[in-house]
Amino acid sequence: MAAKVRDIAPAAQVSQGDADIAPIATMFADASRARVLTALADGRALPASLLAAEAGLTPQGASAHLAKLLSAGLVEVERSGRNRYYRLSGPMVADVIEALARLSPTRPVRSLREGTRAQAMRAARTCYDHLAGRLGAAVTAALVDEGALATTDGDPSTARRPGDPLSAQLPAHPYEPGPNADAVFAALGVDLPALRADTAARRPLLRFCLDWTEQRHHLAGRLGAAVATAWFDAGWLVRARQPQRAVRLTDTGRAALAAHLPTASGAPPEARTETAS
């Protein structure tokens, strides 16, 4: 009987095979589809008409690309009345977009408008549902300064660690909630004890990305998403008109940052110019 098991086991292993990444990689390889996916990378659900404008496509072209992305499982669609809204199927897709951005060359800037868009993306943006760019990196560093986060590897900074992958979200990170975590996050509008108590949540409370423009860590996971949501709800952050993922601190947000995270109040000027209505 043992011999038969040994004969069967290799065949069972072979039948599973390796992951076939080519079909999914093809979805990202087309420039127009890549622009559609990038427009959705802030986690919002957007109509096909807006995605067509963002990607420079006709409505028919956008629909064709969205059909392929739906078939591949990279986006999902929600109906609201007569309209259809598309979003990424989950944060793993946004992780791939950020990873590809870290590996990819930058596009040549051919106009003032393109330069302004690129500057805005590097200043402050959302990475799926959490803050990234110079603002996200500065906020994360300030959370360490204020004792809301503590490092566990002896390095008090948020700099890239040896071995941190440039092409993926960090599989492990050297952070834990700090001694002042509850008070600091409460001042930022986040109920950390409630987040901790949600044992049914599948997403980790703490997760970190190596920011592709800053090469420093920024806060992700459920806690990072809660911070961004609280700041949008409080009017501390607003979304820029273009590009879709860029965000800006309002005057109220800048004052709040100075009060609660003073070492992050040096956020980039590009991220400070809108006033909440």
Side-chain angles (χ1 to χ4, degrees):
M1 181 65 70
K4 291 182 179 179
V5 171
R6 283 196 297 270
D7 290 341
I8 294 172
Q13 293 171 359
V14 170
S15 67
Q16 295 178 7
D18 294 327
D20 184 5
I21 66 172
I24 295 298
T26 299
M27 294 295 104
F28 292 88
D30 180 89
S32 295
R33 279 198 299 274
R35 288 194 293 270
V36 169
L37 289 166
T38 300
L40 293 172
D42 62 2
R44 288 181 296 167
L46 299 174
S49 58
L50 184 55
L51 291 170
E54 182 70 14
L57 296 168
T58 64
Q60 295 82 1
S63 295
H65 285 300
L66 286 166
K68 291 180 180 180
L69 293 170
L70 278 168
S71 178
L74 295 178
V75 301
E76 58 189 22
V77 65
E78 177 182 346
R79 292 182 181 274
S80 179
R82 298 172 62 181
N83 299 314
R84 291 158 61 93
Y85 291 83
Y86 297 85
R87 62 164 58 87
L88 297 185
S89 57
M92 289 181 64
V93 183
D95 292 348
V96 174
I97 295 169
E98 285 289 310
L100 289 172
R102 288 191 289 270
L103 288 172
S104 303
T106 57
R107 292 193 187 100
V109 174
R110 298 184 175 89
S111 68
L112 177 61
R113 182 171 179 266
E114 288 183 359
T116 301
R117 286 164 60 96
Q119 188 179 47
M121 284 286 285
R122 283 160 175 73
R125 64 184 184 276
T126 49
C127 173
Y128 191 60
D129 59 2
H130 56 272
L131 291 175
R134 289 201 295 276
L135 178 61
V139 166
T140 301
L143 290 170
V144 175
D145 293 340
E146 295 299 314
L149 295 174
T151 59
T152 59
D153 64 349
D155 184 344
S157 77
T158 58
R160 182 189 181 197
R161 272 38 172 192
D164 278 357
L166 283 170
S167 58
Q169 198 168 44
L170 301 183
H173 60 78
Y175 301 94
E176 64 185 7
N180 302 327
D182 288 0
V184 172
F185 282 109
L188 299 176
V190 175
D191 187 345
L192 182 56
L195 286 177
R196 282 181 170 138
D198 186 5
T199 57
R202 298 174 61 185
R203 190 177 183 187
L205 176 68
L206 285 182
R207 198 172 179 185
F208 292 81
C209 302
L210 185 67
D211 196 278
W212 70 271
T213 56
E214 299 305 296
Q215 299 299 290
R216 290 194 290 154
H217 299 157
H218 68 237
L219 176 63
R222 284 190 290 130
L223 185 53
V227 169
T229 298
W231 290 17
F232 280 120
D233 290 347
W236 296 4
L237 280 176
V238 293
R239 297 192 185 276
R241 291 184 179 90
Q242 292 290 342
Q244 294 293 329
R245 295 172 60 199
V247 299
R248 293 183 177 136
L249 278 172
T250 64
D251 289 344
T252 302
R254 175 145 171 75
L257 226 61
H260 304 304
L261 295 178
T263 57
S265 60
E270 300 93 328
R272 305 179 194 159
T273 55
E274 283 199 15
T275 303
S277 57

